[in-house]
Amino acid sequence: MPSQKPREAAMKAIQNVFARYQEMANAQKSPNFDRSIVSDLELIDVDGGRSTFELTATETYSNLNGVMHGGAIGTVFGYVLCGDSMRNANQIVDIWARIKIHAEVLAHGKTMAMIHGRITSPDGKAVYAAADHHKVNSPKKPEHRSAVGPEKPQKANL
């Protein structure tokens, strides 16, 4: 049976990253919303370059439809995937930097769509992030239907 030492060391290293973030956020009295994700993520296992976390999707992470907000999902991935890919990234986005966000619908059906997004510098020379999003058209809650208005929105002429 392989030694548990590398696994334990990897788990401790990941836990230390999250603990340092919490310590810095507490010292700065940071209002950032991601503090709850960092404190709520639970590291379950690390094995051979793979890690497993658990998180309870509370109302903190929900949208008006009562499901987990896509932005919260993205932030969770941002923290869980932050290992070597973030340390080796050659581009970061400073606060107040001007960025350009590109979105492209790759495929769509009646209830599902695949959208690819990129965040770049305004000139497009630096790519800061890229993501694919599987969008689900979930039914509206009855109390939200009145906010849409009586008319169906017109299609944009692109």
Side-chain angles (χ1 to χ4, degrees):
M1 186 158 130
S3 169
Q4 289 292 313
K5 291 195 185 250
R7 179 185 170 276
E8 291 169 4
M11 287 191 71
K12 186 69 173 167
I14 292 170
Q15 290 165 337
N16 285 341
V17 168
F18 284 77
R20 280 195 309 269
Y21 178 89
Q22 284 292 78
E23 187 177 315
M24 290 184 297
N26 290 339
Q28 295 177 10
K29 296 182 175 56
S30 172
N32 300 49
F33 75 95
D34 53 347
R35 287 180 71 185
S36 57
I37 290 175
V38 172
S39 64
D40 292 350
L41 273 173
E42 182 182 346
L43 180 61
I44 303 300
D45 194 20
V46 176
D47 183 28
R50 296 179 179 173
S51 58
T52 304
F53 293 81
E54 285 187 1
L55 173 77
T56 300
T58 64
E59 287 182 340
T60 300
Y61 310 116
S62 71
N63 62 22
L64 290 175
N65 289 324
V67 298
M68 193 167 181
H69 192 285
I73 291 170
T75 303
V76 167
F77 276 131
Y79 278 97
V80 170
L81 303 176
C82 72
D84 290 332
S85 62
M86 290 302 284
R87 283 194 294 271
N88 295 330
N90 59 4
Q91 300 291 330
I92 59 171
V93 180
D94 292 319
I95 297 298
W96 302 112
R98 188 81 175 160
I99 59 173
K100 191 178 276 189
I101 300 99
H102 310 266
E104 178 185 3
V105 176
L106 301 177
H108 68 86
K110 290 182 180 181
T111 60
M112 300 281 295
M114 167 62 91
I115 303 165
H116 177 74
R118 288 181 302 115
I119 298 176
T120 69
S121 58
D123 63 8
K125 290 181 180 177
V127 177
Y128 299 121
D132 291 323
H133 180 56
H134 301 259
K135 183 69 179 165
V136 178
N137 184 11
S138 57
K140 292 182 183 89
K141 288 185 168 185
E143 62 268 26
H144 295 164
R145 290 188 183 136
S146 63
V148 175
E151 293 183 31
K152 197 173 186 180
Q154 300 212 359
K155 268 192 165 176
N157 294 324
L158 302 176

